[in-house]
Amino acid sequence: MTERTLAIIKPDAVERRLAGTIIQRIEDEAFQIRAMRRVHLSKAQAEGFYAVHRERPFFAGLTTFMSSGPAIVLVLEAPDAIRKWRTLMGATDPAKADAGTMRKEFAQSIERNATHGSDAPDTALYEIGYFFAGVELV
């Protein structure tokens, strides 16, 4: 079944000029990019996006990091896109990520881990809607 997921190339990867390489990998894995935008989130916007984690101890650091510089948000489409993108990204902790995954290759730490991806269909709907109006999805 074809589905969509949100992907983010996080500020650490954009700062290190890895966006083109990551986008090439996305295309090489047969994802269709249905929308893409460069954003620089404010602290409040990052807090809104990650509101589900508000009570977690990492929330303040995560939202500070995600508002620290430009990021690239994308809507990816493919059969089983959520699972496929999460597999390509690898484990959140790059030390635990499989060889060949984005985070193993590009992440600097568990906090600066290069990419984000939706974890479930309902999360994907919310996250895509946070950044893109329906008319923007082609």
Side-chain angles (χ1 to χ4, degrees), residues 4-22:
R4 291 179 173 175
T5 189
L6 184 82
I8 301 177
I9 302 172
K10 293 183 177 183
D12 59 310
V14 172
E15 178 184 6
R16 292 171 41 230
R17 301 174 55 110
L18 296 171
T21 302
I22 292 170

Side-chain angles (χ1 to χ4, degrees), residues 8 12 31-33 38 43 46 53 64 70-74 80 82 85 87 91-93 101 103-104 112 124 127 130:
I8 301 177
D12 59 310
F31 285 97
Q32 294 294 317
I33 298 172
R38 183 180 170 110
K43 177 78 165 165
H53 298 301
T64 297
I72 297 172
V73 292
L74 308 95
D80 202 18
I82 295 167
W85 175 238
T87 299
T92 302
D93 182 349
T101 62
R103 289 176 171 158
K104 188 64 159 187
R112 297 175 64 83
E127 291 182 348
Y130 197 85

Side-chain angles (χ1 to χ4, degrees), residues 61-128:
L62 174 62
T63 56
T64 297
F65 164 63
M66 288 301 294
S67 59
S68 69
I72 297 172
V73 292
L74 308 95
V75 177
L76 306 181
E77 184 178 87
D80 202 18
I82 295 167
R83 183 201 55 77
K84 184 177 177 180
W85 175 238
R86 293 186 68 77
T87 299
L88 182 60
M89 283 193 309
T92 302
D93 182 349
K96 298 177 182 174
D98 290 337
T101 62
M102 298 280 195
R103 289 176 171 158
K104 188 64 159 187
E105 292 182 21
F106 304 127
Q108 297 171 304
S109 67
I110 195 168
E111 293 86 15
R112 297 175 64 83
N113 63 7
T115 58
H116 165 88
S118 305
D119 62 2
D122 58 331
T123 309
L125 283 173
Y126 168 78
E127 291 182 348
I128 289 168

